[in-house]
Amino acid sequence: MVRTSNHLIGLLNFVTFLLSIPILGGGIWLSSRANNTDCLKFLQWPLIVIGAAIMVVSLAGFAGACYRNTFLMWVYLFVMFFVIAALIGFIIFAYAVTDKGSGRSLTNKAYKDYYLQDYSGWLKDRVADNGYWRKIASCVRDSKTCQKLGRSVSGVPETADMFYSRRLNSIQSGCCKPPTECGYSYVNETVWTTGAGFSGTSKDCTLWSNDQQQLCYSCNSCRAGLLASIRKSWRKVSVVNIVVLIILVIFYVIGCAAFRNNRRIDNDEPYGEARMTKSHPSAFQL
């Protein structure tokens, strides 16, 4: 019976170790996007730490089950409780800070425009800070997202209608072109002229520049586009985290039950009436 319980605990810890891989992978994926696209370089670290902690703790639990080391099993159950709590907190935080905001659909355009006022909360306040935004804008510029926007067909640059039919991502739409409401005329993907249709009153309309080092990196639409990109990334990772969390909680409960059963067997504690008989011996046993 003890051997069966130990095998069960060992198996659960091995599976838990495997479950840490998608969490760690999600953190690494967010880290790669932070360096290349999303440009917020602190959000991925809690996830990486949680994934690494699950990996290390599950190895400790696996060793404890294999060698019947009660101390290691206690460490596993104790630490894993707080790791699960931290994962729950991270998921709640991720949904809370990305709760609101999305792009606005446009007439005769496949892409969307993004507005900072559509977002709220801590994350919006962070990117709205000019000092912090300068670092993010520099990262977006260095990622060359806008430079990669150019297309040509048989050596001929795409027309305005072709550009309007493209499904730009949120950063491309927010940072690489002026907002549609400004009424700029299309020349190419990152060059627009005021023309006769200029009608914008938004501050972003005056911030737009055809200078390829400026474009709309200082615009609120660029900040909103970045928030939309982060929201999309976090929601993808959170779905995986929720599935892993549910499995972890189930395994943790089973692990606790198996560990308790091991202790009961080690202490020679029987069930039911036999246990009562041991605690209160009858006259025939005295």
Side-chain angles (χ1 to χ4, degrees):
M1 188 71 172
V2 174
R3 180 173 297 178
T4 301
S5 294
N6 283 334
H7 287 167
L8 176 60
I9 295 173
L11 177 62
L12 293 178
N13 279 284
F14 178 72
V15 177
T16 301
F17 174 83
L18 296 180
L19 289 174
S20 70
I21 296 176
I23 295 179
L24 197 58
I28 294 173
W29 180 71
L30 285 177
S31 179
S32 67
R33 288 188 63 84
N35 291 327
N36 299 315
T37 306
D38 292 342
C39 291
L40 283 179
K41 301 182 180 181
F42 66 93
L43 301 174
Q44 74 277 8
W45 289 113
L47 200 57
I48 292 176
V49 170
I50 290 172
I54 293 175
M55 186 173 288
V56 172
V57 172
S58 61
L59 288 176
F62 184 77
C66 289
Y67 297 102
R68 294 194 60 194
N69 189 309
T70 304
F71 174 75
L72 285 179
M73 286 304 303
W74 266 116
V75 169
Y76 162 74
L77 293 174
F78 180 78
V79 177
M80 185 58 75
F81 173 82
F82 291 99
V83 170
I84 290 175
L87 184 57
I88 293 173
F90 180 84
I91 292 172
I92 293 173
F93 173 76
Y95 272 93
V97 300
T98 59
D99 181 46
K100 296 181 179 180
S102 61
R104 298 185 189 180
S105 298
L106 303 167
T107 304
N108 299 324
K109 306 285 192 304
Y111 53 78
K112 297 180 179 180
D113 272 0
Y114 297 84
Y115 294 84
L116 191 59
Q117 60 264 33
D118 292 343
Y119 296 83
S120 63
W122 172 82
L123 203 54
K124 175 198 171 182
D125 294 339
R126 193 165 181 85
V127 301
D129 179 79
N130 288 328
Y132 191 70
W133 177 252
R134 279 193 290 271
K135 299 177 183 178
I136 298 176
S138 176
C139 172
V140 174
R141 185 185 302 109
D142 292 342
S143 70
K144 302 186 185 304
T145 298
C146 296
Q147 293 181 19
K148 299 172 184 175
L149 199 57
R151 280 186 184 177
S152 61
V153 180
S154 300
V156 178
E158 65 179 350
T159 63
D161 288 338
M162 294 170 63
F163 179 78
Y164 296 151
S165 65
R166 290 175 61 176
R167 296 187 179 276
L168 306 179
N169 65 43
S170 59
I171 293 180
Q172 289 173 335
S173 178
C175 304
C176 305
K177 67 170 189 60
T180 303
E181 66 175 348
C182 298
Y184 279 87
S185 298
Y186 175 88
V187 177
N188 63 39
E189 294 85 353
T190 56
V191 176
W192 300 68
T193 59
T194 54
F198 182 79
S199 59
T201 57
S202 168
K203 180 182 177 182
D204 285 356
C205 297
T206 59
L207 289 174
W208 166 260
S209 171
N210 285 325
D211 181 345
Q212 298 301 295
Q213 294 300 311
Q214 298 296 325
L215 298 179
C216 219
Y217 295 129
S218 298
C219 300
N220 283 334
S221 64
C222 189
R223 303 172 200 236
L226 180 81
L227 289 174
S229 180
I230 292 172
R231 184 179 189 271
K232 184 177 180 180
S233 300
W234 274 39
R235 289 300 172 95
K236 286 181 179 179
V237 172
S238 291
V239 170
V240 176
N241 288 344
I242 290 173
V243 174
V244 172
L245 174 64
I246 293 172
I247 299 174
L248 278 179
V249 170
I250 294 173
F251 282 6
Y252 183 79
V253 172
I254 295 174
C256 286
F259 178 68
R260 186 179 301 172
N261 185 55
N262 264 3
R263 287 192 54 126
R264 183 167 45 241
I265 294 173
D266 288 343
N267 295 331
D268 193 25
E269 297 177 2
Y271 291 98
E273 184 178 350
R275 182 170 185 170
M276 293 298 294
T277 301
K278 184 177 180 181
S279 300
H280 304 286
S282 65
F284 296 102
Q285 293 175 304
L286 292 177

